[in-house]
Every structure is written in C-alpha cells, then in structure tokens.
Amino acid sequence: MKILLLGFSKHTKSHTIRRLVTELKKRGHTVNYLFWEGLVFSFSKKEGLSIKRAAGKDLKYYDYIIPRNPLFKAGKSGYMSHLYRHYILLVDYINKHHKHVLNEKTTKTMPFYDKLFQYYLLNKEGLPIVRSLLYTGRLLPDSVYKKFKKPYIAKNIEGSRGRQVFLIKEDKDMEKIIRKAGTGRMLIQRRIPVKSDYRILVIGNRVIGGMKRTAVEGEFRSNASLGAKVEKIIPTREMKVLAKKAAKIFNAEFAGVDIIKYKNNHYILEINIFPAFKGFESATGINVAKELVSYIEKRYLWSIQTEFTKEERKDVFEALYKIEKNNPEQEEKPRTKKDFSITISKRDLIVIYKNQEPIAFMTHYEKGRVRRITRMGIQKDFRGQRMGRRMILQLIEVSKTTKNREINVIIPANNKRR
C-alpha cells in the first residue's frame, strides 16, 4: 500500500520517522513524505476539488495518511494554528475517496486542536483536570489573576513538548508573555507541586503501556524532550480508565495522555493526538511503531485472504452474497442464495477486506493445470479502485504454488480492455 507521512520533513531524521518507515517497509508498504507547507488546495467548476502535493500528485491516490501535528512553529510568524483547518478539509476530502487518515474522527469533536478546547471538553465530560483559566484581555485585572496563588503555570494553548510553558512568579512576567504571544493564547493553571508525570499511550482504545517522567533538577517541566528522566511503569487501573476515557472524548485512535498524581488524586494534564514516541520506546521497550502500524493495517488497509476453513466460509457468506446480488462485474445474473452457497463451499476463494469487512471476492478452481475463475464481485463503493486487478495478481501467486500453466477468465463485453 502507498502510505503518506504528512507533516514529516523527508530531510529530518527524527526517531518517529525512522521507526514508522522501518515498520511500514517491513510489511511491503511504499512510504512518501510531505510537510504541511507542501499542499495545494485546488477548486474549479471543471476539475472540481483536489488536494495535491506541489509536485502534482493527488493525495487521494494514497491508501492511508499518517499525519503529525499541524501546529508547527514557523519562525517569527509563530505557531501556524490555522493549519488545523486544512487538516479538517483534508480528512473530509480523503474520506470522500474511501481512504482514511489517522485520528480522522477527532475533527468531529475538535474544530481546533489546542489546550483551550481540550480543557473545555475534558471538563464538560467530568474528567479530573487541574484548575485553569484563560483571559482574552491584554491587561491583568485583579478580578481574574488574583484567583491564582503565585507561582502559577502559564501555557500557550498551541504549544507542545514543553515549549511555551512558563512558571509565573510576578505579574510583570505574565504581562510580558501576553504581549509576546498575543491575547487569548495563554492558559494559566494552579501549580501542583509534583516533579513527575505519567505518559500513557492509547492505540485503538487499548492502553499499550506507560512511562514516568521526572523533571531534572531546577526544571519544573517533566517533558522527555527537555531532558526529564524516563522510566517504564505498569499503568494503574485508574490511569488506564482515565487515558481511555480521554482518548474516547476526542475520538482519538492514537493518543498520548499526560496524567499527574497528587495526594492520591489523578489529574489529566493534556492529551496529544499526534504524539512522538522516542522517549516512550526508550523507556518501556515497547515497539510503538509496530503496534501503530499493526492497528492501521487491521483497521483500515486492504488485506487479502486466500485460504478459508469451513467455518470461515460460513462466517463470510452473507457479506459476499450481498456483493453478489449487486454485481456488474460479470454478465450472468446473480445466483440464487442456494447456488451461491454451493459455489462458496466448493470453489477456492479470494476475499479482499477493508475495515475488517469483505469488499470484493473471487471464486476459482483448478482443472488440468489451468486455473479457472468462475465468479467475481466488488462492493459498489470500491469499484474503479483496481480490486479485480488486486485479486488476479493474488491468483497469479496462488497459481505459482500449484504450477498452473494458465489462468482462464470470462471477461464481460464491456470490459474487454482488461
């Protein structure tokens, strides 16, 4: 399959890139890179909508897209938060072509990916968070800021990896930060006196592990990217429950949930739906890239099955018969359910799955060293996506093992070019 890593610079040898590429290529996938700045959104009455690489390749031709955070820092211009809008449009475009993007359903709950919206949703759903406040003004009125005992924490709602997080000891410090960041961007929080926090990783509503991060001496932030000490932990039941609930609120398939524990109470600090995992793999020994790629393959990418037990044939029969009843890939009328049942039980079978559901099938058998195709069906939404070619290529591999001399297939009159 063709996989696009979006938001990854191909010149950057980051741990996340290297690990994902390694695991994807192990499974035979083709991998391309594209940074967020390289997209072209095109609109015209004649050609319709397209989202392409600057080099010209339409993104709809990729089988799957794995994005990174669109909130990147662009020099003096600051954080490009508006690119999350582009991400939302990209997801809609790719979905219309029956393809998928990692964490695509987060766009239905988060019109913007920032800490303000995170805290709004977490608090709305009753999950434990640190007391926080955001003021959209430029001045520091006592009616707002006197609510927080100094020192307190100030965070840019678009920051990541511990950047743009400050320890505020005096009002003048906060005034300076607001002038630099702009109004409505700084979230302030009660400072909880802990030196460690916990990163819990969730993939597909399953906690795969956790690590403890302890800030270095003289540092109040415990991000691994800032030199914090990291070590493996076995997440407690409460940590697992909170992490899965947080991921579910945002419809996140892959998420890093940051949690602190203070006086026997747990608080969610943040949820990262584009997490890097260098420190996590190093601390835990868990192959995050492999876990993520395995989840994506199972959930979204094409898979082809060529060998079936008797029970597996029974399990898949109803889904295949639905395809058979609405099948333009052959000139004969759909078979009756009884006749089709006989075909499925007696013929060799190839089935293509997507989202773990059958979308195409082919029946065939061997006679006199000739492999003969008898039926072929493709679900309506996936016609025109080379399903027939995929199955024939797989059939060629099957034929090699049985030393067939040729493959025989009846081609519909309207598809002679095949």
Side-chain angles (χ1 to χ4, degrees):
M1 301 294 106
K2 294 182 178 66
I3 311 295
L4 175 66
L5 300 182
L6 178 61
F8 299 77
S9 169
K10 71 178 181 179
H11 302 297
T12 301
K13 303 298 182 183
S14 75
H15 176 88
T16 301
I17 290 177
R18 287 187 285 105
R19 295 290 300 111
L20 284 172
V21 170
T22 296
E23 293 302 328
L24 287 165
K25 287 188 174 181
K26 274 183 182 178
R27 292 164 166 77
H29 300 297
T30 300
V31 186
N32 292 134
Y33 311 87
L34 178 63
F35 200 50
W36 280 104
E37 291 180 321
L39 295 177
V40 179
F41 290 73
S42 178
F43 312 90
S44 71
K45 185 176 180 180
K46 183 178 179 180
E47 298 180 4
L49 167 67
S50 69
I51 302 178
K52 297 181 179 180
R53 303 180 63 146
K57 192 173 188 65
D58 197 307
L59 267 59
K60 70 182 180 183
Y61 292 112
Y62 290 99
D63 296 298
Y64 195 79
I65 297 177
I66 301 174
R68 286 298 311 277
N69 197 338
L71 303 180
F72 67 93
K73 192 171 185 179
K76 294 181 180 180
S77 61
Y79 287 87
M80 305 292 284
S81 59
H82 65 277
L83 280 179
Y84 196 70
R85 302 183 182 109
H86 299 63
Y87 174 67
I88 292 171
L89 296 180
L90 171 72
V91 168
D92 184 69
Y93 177 71
I94 296 301
N95 286 171
K96 278 181 166 51
H97 291 282
H98 311 292
K99 307 293 179 66
H100 294 278
V101 180
L102 181 65
N103 279 337
E104 60 190 29
K105 290 184 179 179
T106 60
T107 61
K108 296 180 180 179
T109 53
M110 295 180 69
F112 296 96
Y113 176 61
D114 60 36
K115 291 179 176 63
L116 176 64
F117 216 92
Q118 282 194 26
Y119 272 74
Y120 179 81
L121 290 180
L122 289 169
N123 189 247
K124 180 182 176 182
E125 296 299 325
L127 269 67
I129 58 173
V130 178
R131 184 185 175 200
S132 306
L133 181 150
L134 183 141
Y135 176 58
T136 60
R138 189 173 293 275
L139 302 176
L140 302 182
D142 289 342
S143 60
V144 174
Y145 288 94
K146 73 177 181 180
K147 295 177 182 292
F148 280 78
K149 180 181 178 181
K150 296 185 185 70
Y152 55 77
I153 304 295
K155 297 180 178 180
N156 190 312
I157 60 174
E158 296 169 356
S160 63
R161 298 187 181 182
R163 305 187 194 101
Q164 301 288 301
V165 179
F166 308 94
L167 182 64
I168 306 300
K169 298 179 180 179
E170 299 181 34
D171 288 342
K172 64 180 182 179
D173 297 333
M174 192 66 198
E175 291 173 351
K176 192 182 300 183
I177 290 169
I178 290 176
R179 282 198 301 271
K180 185 175 181 179
T183 58
R185 291 179 181 270
M186 298 308 298
L187 182 80
I188 64 174
Q189 293 182 329
R190 170 195 170 199
R191 186 191 182 195
I192 295 180
V194 294
K195 294 288 289 182
S196 301
D197 68 5
Y198 304 91
R199 165 61 64 90
I200 310 299
L201 275 193
V202 181
I203 298 179
N205 198 38
R206 181 174 68 91
V207 170
I208 67 167
M211 72 173 176
K212 180 180 180 180
R213 304 180 295 194
T214 304
V216 296
E217 191 65 33
E219 176 61 72
F220 68 95
R221 296 165 294 183
S222 55
N223 300 81
S225 59
L226 297 176
K229 176 186 174 183
V230 296
E231 56 187 303
K232 180 179 180 179
I233 63 158
I234 304 300
T236 64
R237 181 180 179 278
E238 186 167 0
M239 288 178 182
K240 289 181 178 181
V241 169
L242 285 178
K244 289 197 289 186
K245 282 184 176 180
K248 189 174 182 180
I249 286 173
F250 298 102
N251 293 321
E253 300 169 285
F254 178 41
V257 182
D258 295 340
I259 297 172
I260 59 173
K261 184 178 181 181
Y262 180 62
K263 293 184 177 179
N264 293 320
N265 293 314
H266 290 81
Y267 302 90
I268 296 175
L269 288 180
E270 182 178 349
I271 176 169
N272 190 332
I273 59 173
F274 300 94
F277 44 80
K278 179 179 180 179
F280 192 92
E281 286 195 330
S282 174
T284 65
I286 296 171
N287 189 332
V288 177
K290 182 179 179 180
E291 293 276 355
L292 182 58
V293 171
S294 296
Y295 166 78
I296 290 170
E297 286 180 327
K298 184 177 180 181
R299 183 74 177 84
Y300 291 111
L301 299 183
W302 319 112
S303 62
I304 298 180
Q305 185 174 354
T306 59
E307 296 182 4
F308 293 81
T309 65
K310 187 176 181 180
E311 288 302 315
E312 287 174 332
R313 289 174 184 268
K314 289 180 179 179
D315 291 341
V316 80
F317 173 77
E318 292 294 340
L320 298 187
Y321 189 60
K322 286 181 181 178
I323 299 173
E324 167 73 11
K325 287 193 297 183
N326 186 21
N327 187 1
E329 295 297 312
Q330 54 200 9
E331 293 182 320
E332 301 96 332
K333 292 181 180 180
R335 295 190 173 181
T336 65
K337 198 167 190 176
K338 181 179 179 180
D339 289 340
F340 189 69
S341 176
I342 295 172
T343 297
I344 295 300
S345 63
K346 292 188 175 181
R347 301 300 187 193
D348 293 328
L349 184 63
I350 294 175
V351 176
I352 296 181
Y353 298 86
K354 190 171 186 183
N355 300 357
Q356 298 174 277
E357 295 293 332
I359 60 169
F361 75 90
M362 174 189 291
T363 58
H364 59 97
Y365 70 98
E366 181 185 22
K367 185 176 181 179
R369 296 190 68 185
V370 175
R371 182 67 54 175
R372 301 180 185 275
I373 299 173
T374 60
R375 307 293 286 184
M376 183 188 294
I378 300 171
Q379 196 179 104
K380 183 180 179 181
D381 289 343
F382 297 94
R383 291 167 196 159
Q385 296 188 38
R386 300 184 174 183
M387 295 294 107
R389 179 178 295 186
R390 293 174 193 269
M391 290 188 288
I392 288 175
L393 288 174
Q394 193 65 37
L395 186 62
I396 290 172
E397 295 303 312
V398 172
S399 298
K400 286 179 181 178
T401 61
T402 53
K403 298 182 179 181
N404 301 130
R405 291 180 300 184
E406 61 182 272
I407 296 174
N408 179 276
V409 57
I410 298 174
I411 301 174
N414 61 346
N415 271 308
K416 285 296 184 184
R417 59 183 179 151
R418 291 189 179 180

